[in-house]
Amino acid sequence: MPALPTGTGPRRRAVLAAALAPLAAAGCSGGEEPRPPAPGQQPAAEDALIMVIRHAEKPYAGDTGWDEDGEDDPGSLAGRGWRRAEELPRLFPPAKRSSLPRPAAVFAAGGKAPAPARCRQTVKALATALRIPVRAEFAVGAEPALAHALLAGPMPALVCWEHTGIPRLVRALGADRVLGLPAAWPDRYDLVWQFTRRGGQWSFRELPQQLLSGDA
């Protein structure tokens, strides 16, 4: 810092004010970063767009799916589920030819139970096409932490989750009272639930995927 002029005149007071202005703007914090929200506290109600899907088809009773290596695995997707996963990138084309926006973040259930494995398998091809990683650090049951990460992260965001946990996620987002929202995820694999927050208010719409023959 350049030497400050001596004396008590107006020029000295003006120079001192200019020199101290950056410290005042920083709150004399000494470079301290803003504190993150406390655990369980949601970020401020900024605009958000979150899309939720169920994992793709699982094996029927008495059947088996297969894992990424082609090995039989009842905890993995069935053949139709793998076909849906392969077609999922078509829902989010590069050009604006879809009513759904391309995700800037992709989340899938984590853990070792069958449903999380299917969730990660469902969005793997999509994440590869988008050139972004799949975030799978949240297990089914940790919906409040997932909701916090979603609202604090880039938008739009896509979540692939186990269907029984989706209502808990919606409640954690604070979007459980929007008009038209079903009480539970229906017995279907071909839907997208889209939640949009504008001015602190959530809206909801349900969209069909229409990726495979037989989809509604």
Side-chain angles (χ1 to χ4, degrees):
M1 178 184 297
L4 299 179
T6 57
T8 60
R11 180 171 180 270
R12 181 176 184 272
R13 289 195 296 271
V15 173
L16 281 172
L20 295 175
L23 293 177
C28 297
S29 64
E32 182 180 353
E33 295 292 332
R35 293 183 179 181
Q41 177 183 349
Q42 297 293 2
E46 299 176 352
D47 291 351
L49 197 161
I50 297 171
M51 296 166 285
V52 182
I53 61 174
R54 181 185 183 180
H55 62 72
E57 285 85 344
K58 62 182 179 180
Y60 292 107
D63 196 6
T64 185
W66 58 83
D67 62 17
E68 291 87 342
D69 298 322
E71 299 295 331
D72 288 352
D73 178 16
S76 289
L77 295 175
R80 183 175 174 87
W82 280 110
R83 291 194 295 274
R84 184 176 304 281
E86 292 168 1
E87 295 294 329
L88 197 60
R90 291 202 294 112
L91 275 182
F92 310 98
K96 184 60 179 177
R97 299 191 302 270
S98 171
S99 58
L100 292 167
R102 282 168 71 82
V106 175
F107 289 76
K112 297 182 179 180
R118 295 179 188 129
C119 290
R120 295 190 296 270
Q121 291 166 354
T122 299
V123 295
K124 182 178 180 180
L126 173 62
T128 299
L130 296 172
R131 298 183 180 180
I132 58 177
V134 176
R135 292 190 57 178
E137 66 265 39
F138 302 103
V140 174
E143 286 81 12
L146 169 63
H148 187 277
L150 283 165
L151 294 175
M155 296 288 168
L158 175 76
V159 183
C160 184
W161 211 247
E162 202 276 330
H163 74 285
T164 60
I166 290 176
R168 294 193 299 269
L169 172 59
V170 175
R171 287 195 298 272
L173 290 170
D176 53 314
R177 296 188 179 183
V178 298
L179 185 66
L181 177 68
W185 188 274
D187 187 21
R188 292 174 59 181
Y189 300 91
D190 60 344
L191 296 174
V192 181
W193 282 8
Q194 180 174 305
F195 297 89
T196 304
R197 187 170 67 185
R198 295 286 183 269
Q201 298 295 319
W202 286 103
S203 62
F204 165 80
R205 64 175 181 161
E206 181 179 277
L207 300 167
Q209 293 182 10
Q210 296 181 320
L211 293 174
L212 301 178
S213 174
D215 282 3

